[in-house]
Structures are given as C-alpha cells and as structure tokens.
Amino acid sequence: MVLEATMICIDNSEWTRNGDYSPNRFQAQADAVNLICGAKTQSNPENTVGVMTMAGKGVRVLVTPTSDLGKILACMHGLEIGGEMNLAAAIQVAQLALKHRQNKKQQQRIIVFAGSPIKHDKKQLEMIGRKLKKNSVALDIVDYGEEDDGKPEKLEALLGAVNNNDTSHIVHVPSGQNALSDVLISTPIFTGDGEGGSGFAAAAAAAAAGGVSGFDLGVDPNLDPELALALRVSMEEERARQEAAAKKAAEEAAKQEKGGEHTSSQDVTMTEGASASASGVEDKKEDLMDDENALLQRALAMSMDDTTSSHREQRDTEMSDASAEDPDLALALQLSVQESGKDSSGQTEMTKLLADQSFVSSILASLPGVDPNDPSVKELLASMQNQAEKKEEPKEPKEDEKK
C-alpha cells in the first residue's frame, strides 16, 4: 500500500452552478471528493488528505493534510460559490501545503477538479508542471464541464509536463445522467497502484447510488474486516430486535384473543342463565294463569248456581207478590201449574196401564212374532211392574182451600 499525502483542489466558481451534471456540477464534485477522501484514508491508516478551494474570494486551504475523515468531510459544508477558478495559484499553494507535511516519507499528490474554463495559457501550465515533476509531486486531473475554450488541450499539456513514470493521470468526464463519482470509480484516481482503496470506493459508490455490491454488507471483509464485522454485528442486533418485537406483538394478540373468548363464554353463560330464569318466570306465569282460570271457572259455576237459585227465589217471590197484588195474575199462574200437574198425571196413568199385566199381554199377543208366554218376555214384564209399583206412592188428598 502506498503511503501518500494528498491535496484536493475544489472548483467552486460560478460555472459549477450549472445542472449538466446531476444534481449540479458542484454537488457532483462534492460527492466524488467525499469518496476519494474515504478511499485514501482507508487504503492506509497513515495516509493524509487536505482540501482547498480554487475560486471565490481567492485560493483558500480548508483543511491541511490529516487522517481525520470526519474533519475532512465537515469542511465541505457551507462552501461559497462564486468567482473564477485560479488553477495556477491553487497548484502552487497545494504544493506548498504538501511540502510542510509532518511525515516526509509520504508521497505527494495533487488532485484537481476543473469544471470551469481555464484562463492560463499552455506555456504557463507547462512551467508549473515541470516544477511539480522536479519536486516529485504527482498530479491527477478530473476534467468535466466546459470544453469549448481549448481546456482539454491545456490540461493535457500540463499533464505531459508533470507526468513521471505514469504516476499522473487525467480523466475527461462528459456531461450526462451518470454521476461523476460513478465514472471515477474505475479510473486510476481511485485505484492508485492497484491495491489502494478501490474496494472501499466501489462499496461507497454502490451505497450512494442505491446499488448492491458483490458482498453481503456492501464491504469487502478482506479490505476492511473491522468494518465488515461491525456491520454484521449491527445487522444481527437489528434482526434480534425485530424478532423480539414480532414475538411480543404475537403474544399480545394471543392474550387479546383469549380475553375475547373468556368474555364470550361469560356472555353465553349469562345468556343461558337469563333464558333459564325467563323460562322459569314463564312457567310460573302459566301456573298462575291455570290457577286463575280454575278459580274463574269455579267462580262462574258458583255464580251460575247462585243465579239459578236467585231466579227460582225471585220467581217464587214474584208469584207470591202477584197473588197478593193482582188476583187475576195469581189465577193465571195457578192454572199453568195445574196444567203441568195434568201432564204429570197423564204420565202416571200411562205408568198404571203398563203395570196392568193383562193389558200388556193382550197387546203383546196382537204383535206378530211375539210369544207372551216366553220367559224373557215374562221377566221383562215383571221388572216393569216392579218399577211401576215403586214409583207409586200414597198421596194425601188435597184440601180445598177455597171457601
């Protein structure tokens, strides 16, 4: 792994507001810078990275070379955009910052993002390139954005002057929908000597673009085993937490279902008890109704008897009252009573005739097919005579009350 100190020169000129790169030139540049810083610091723990701006109020160093990735990324926020890019002054200031690095064993490298026109001519850029080559400073150039003012030719001339044993590189990125960081992943600016932070850069770029790398957690465990282990532990903890939450939710649902069944059983029991009590009440009502009906029938019967007796008493009273008040009405009532007595006397005479054996025998002899001497006929006649004798009772002669 290469031990290296790197200064990254950011283009924050007015040209970086253009939206020909998604979402705009400056934001696409910032994403690529973040990935490069991560790749450099992860490839070797002793590598350092510094950041500076090339436009605005002037060339300004944001962070001197450091291995603190958080400090490097924090300096990218809140940058002012404006002015024109001063490439020559930025390269000279970056060379001066690398000259004062703490670890002199670190190789020196400058990475330039050129997204706006270059106002310098070729000769001036070639002179700066030869000076970098003399001080053993490598240069990587990312050319994107404007191309009509001969910028690619000027940058190629600068690269030709500084290149030594193919340690310097240039990448031309055309405008389009592809992110700037995605295009730079496969370039030597990320891969370096072939062993650098290419794994980290690829994983980070895939995560930023929402893609999936070839590894389970998006990190090559061979390049960064500690990060892979931390991610794996975090995933296991999150999985355990989700399983515990799902189990708790299932238990609560089961408890609620049991509570509902218990409540329904209580409701059924209460309903059955209410039905039983209601049926008992209905039975009692029916018994009471039967008793009331019986009592009512008895009362009706008694009232009927009372009514009949009262009618009789009323009739006798009316007859006596009529006899006392109206003699003609009394005479009429007496005549009706005598007629009923005649009917009863007629019935008595008929009974006497049936009791006369000779009369009955003569009548039976006159009937065809009847033998008066038959024992059954004689027995029948004897029984009829006995019944007639029983019905006859001695009657006292009535005294005539009329005077």
Side-chain angles (χ1 to χ4, degrees):
M1 290 183 294
V2 179
L3 182 59
E4 196 172 56
T6 306
M7 283 297 296
I8 300 178
C9 299
I10 298 175
D11 185 1
N12 59 331
S13 64
E14 286 290 344
W15 299 86
T16 57
R17 298 181 187 272
N18 293 348
D20 50 353
Y21 293 84
S22 178
N24 54 55
R25 293 185 184 181
F26 183 80
Q27 189 59 46
Q29 175 186 222
D31 294 339
V33 169
N34 292 338
L35 291 178
I36 291 174
C37 292
K40 294 294 183 181
T41 54
Q42 291 295 325
S43 62
N44 193 321
E46 296 184 6
N47 282 355
T48 58
V49 180
V51 181
M52 61 180 297
T53 58
M54 297 186 293
K57 295 180 180 180
V59 177
R60 183 165 62 99
V61 177
L62 301 177
V63 178
T64 56
T66 178
S67 58
D68 188 355
L69 182 60
K71 187 176 180 180
I72 298 170
L73 299 179
C75 73
M76 297 292 296
H77 297 285
L79 290 179
E80 296 180 358
I81 299 177
E84 295 182 357
M85 179 181 66
N86 191 347
L87 180 60
I91 292 176
Q92 293 176 4
V93 172
Q95 181 184 359
L96 183 61
L98 291 174
K99 185 178 180 179
H100 292 87
R101 64 190 183 280
Q102 295 181 355
N103 189 356
K104 301 300 181 181
K105 294 182 179 180
Q106 293 175 331
Q107 296 183 8
Q108 304 173 77
R109 181 176 295 274
I110 299 175
I111 300 177
V112 175
F113 283 85
S116 57
I118 299 175
K119 60 181 180 180
H120 309 289
D121 55 8
K122 285 185 180 181
K123 292 182 179 180
Q124 187 177 1
L125 294 177
E126 290 176 354
M127 183 177 62
I128 293 174
R130 287 192 293 268
K131 187 176 181 180
L132 292 177
K133 183 178 181 181
K134 181 179 179 181
N135 293 321
S136 302
V137 178
L139 178 65
D140 292 333
I141 302 172
V142 179
D143 177 22
Y144 70 103
E146 303 300 324
E147 297 180 357
D148 3 348
D149 60 342
K151 184 178 70 171
E153 291 79 6
K154 294 179 181 180
L155 293 177
E156 290 287 349
L158 174 61
L159 180 67
V162 72
N163 193 9
N164 184 19
N165 297 327
D166 202 17
T167 57
S168 300
H169 314 89
I170 185 171
V171 177
H172 301 280
V173 182
S175 60
Q177 297 296 327
N178 294 331
L180 189 60
S181 56
D182 294 342
V183 177
L184 296 178
I185 286 175
S186 58
T187 62
I189 296 177
F190 274 79
T191 58
D193 59 352
E195 300 177 0
S198 59
F200 173 84
V212 179
S213 64
F215 306 102
D216 294 337
L217 302 176
V219 176
D220 186 2
N222 296 323
L223 297 177
D224 196 347
E226 294 180 358
L227 179 59
L229 179 60
L231 292 175
R232 188 177 295 107
V233 171
S234 178
M235 290 292 293
E236 292 295 335
E237 290 178 354
E238 179 65 18
R239 189 180 294 109
R241 187 188 65 79
Q242 292 179 358
E243 291 177 355
K247 184 177 180 181
K248 185 177 180 180
E251 291 177 355
E252 290 180 356
K255 289 181 180 180
Q256 291 179 358
E257 290 179 359
K258 290 182 180 179
E261 292 178 357
H262 182 65
T263 305
S264 62
S265 63
Q266 288 183 352
D267 295 340
V268 171
T269 305
M270 292 175 66
T271 305
E272 292 178 353
S275 301
S277 61
S279 61
V281 171
E282 293 294 334
D283 295 338
K284 290 182 180 180
K285 288 183 179 179
E286 290 178 359
D287 295 339
L288 292 174
M289 290 177 65
D290 293 339
D291 296 340
E292 290 178 357
N293 291 332
L295 292 175
L296 183 59
Q297 290 177 0
R298 290 177 60 187
L300 289 173
M302 292 175 67
S303 64
M304 290 294 291
D305 294 339
D306 294 341
T307 305
T308 305
S309 60
S310 64
H311 282 315
R312 289 176 183 175
E313 292 177 356
Q314 184 178 3
R315 186 184 64 183
D316 296 339
T317 304
E318 289 177 354
M319 288 178 67
S320 61
D321 293 342
S323 299
E325 295 178 359
D326 191 356
D328 296 335
L329 181 60
L331 181 60
L333 291 173
Q334 186 176 2
L335 289 175
S336 64
V337 172
Q338 288 177 1
E339 288 178 359
S340 62
K342 288 180 181 180
D343 293 339
S344 62
S345 63
Q347 291 179 358
T348 304
E349 291 177 359
M350 183 62 67
T351 304
K352 289 181 179 181
L353 289 175
L354 291 174
D356 189 357
Q357 186 174 4
S358 60
F359 176 73
V360 172
S361 299
S362 63
I363 292 175
L364 291 175
S366 64
L367 294 175
V370 178
D371 187 5
N373 297 322
D374 191 359
S376 60
V377 173
K378 290 182 178 180
E379 185 178 357
L380 178 61
L381 293 174
S383 63
M384 291 176 63
Q385 187 176 3
N386 293 331
Q387 290 178 359
E389 290 177 356
K390 289 181 181 180
K391 289 182 179 179
E392 291 181 354
E393 292 181 356
K395 297 181 180 179
E396 296 180 357
K398 295 183 180 180
E399 296 180 356
D400 189 5
E401 294 181 356
K402 295 183 180 180
K403 294 182 180 180

